[in-house]
Amino acid sequence: QYPALSAVQDIKFIEKASKSNTPEFNLKITDSNNIKLKIYNAEQKLTLSSIIPYLENIGFSVLEEQTFILSETAETKAIYLHIFSLSVN
């Protein structure tokens, strides 16, 4: 489901989010009905009620969301990875 290249990209975004302590965004568009947005956030989970209105206001419909908690390591803080499946309104 997630190829190796995607995992390598995830690691880069995880490291940036951990070091900067700000959310990092990765948007992948295959076509207007297959859009993935990954948000990497250090130390706290984003609430759906805080992020979905922004996505809808810029023209997306949110089809699905998954949240993963990535454990803290010596090099990184705990990271929440939110993966949104989107389509264009």
Side-chain angles (χ1 to χ4, degrees):
Q1 184 178 4
Y2 297 101
L5 179 60
S6 178
V8 170
Q9 291 173 341
D10 284 340
I11 290 168
K12 291 178 182 178
F13 282 101
I14 290 165
E15 288 173 345
K16 283 180 72 175
S18 179
K19 289 177 185 171
S20 68
N21 213 27
T22 59
E24 292 291 325
F25 301 86
N26 181 7
L27 184 67
K28 182 177 181 181
I29 302 171
T30 305
D31 60 55
S32 64
N33 293 315
N34 189 8
I35 302 166
K36 298 284 188 211
L37 172 64
K38 293 182 179 181
I39 303 175
Y40 310 80
N41 198 46
E43 297 185 344
Q44 79 179 32
K45 182 178 177 179
L46 298 173
T47 61
L48 294 178
S49 62
S50 68
I51 193 70
I52 288 176
Y54 288 107
L55 296 172
E56 291 175 337
N57 284 337
I58 59 174
F60 292 115
S61 292
V62 178
L63 306 175
E64 183 179 37
E65 187 270 348
Q66 296 176 298
T67 300
F68 300 93
I69 303 169
L70 308 175
S71 297
E72 185 173 353
T73 68
E75 293 83 31
T76 62
K77 300 173 183 175
I79 297 290
Y80 288 86
L81 170 57
H82 300 272
I83 302 175
F84 292 88
S85 295
L86 309 170
S87 66
V88 176
N89 285 338

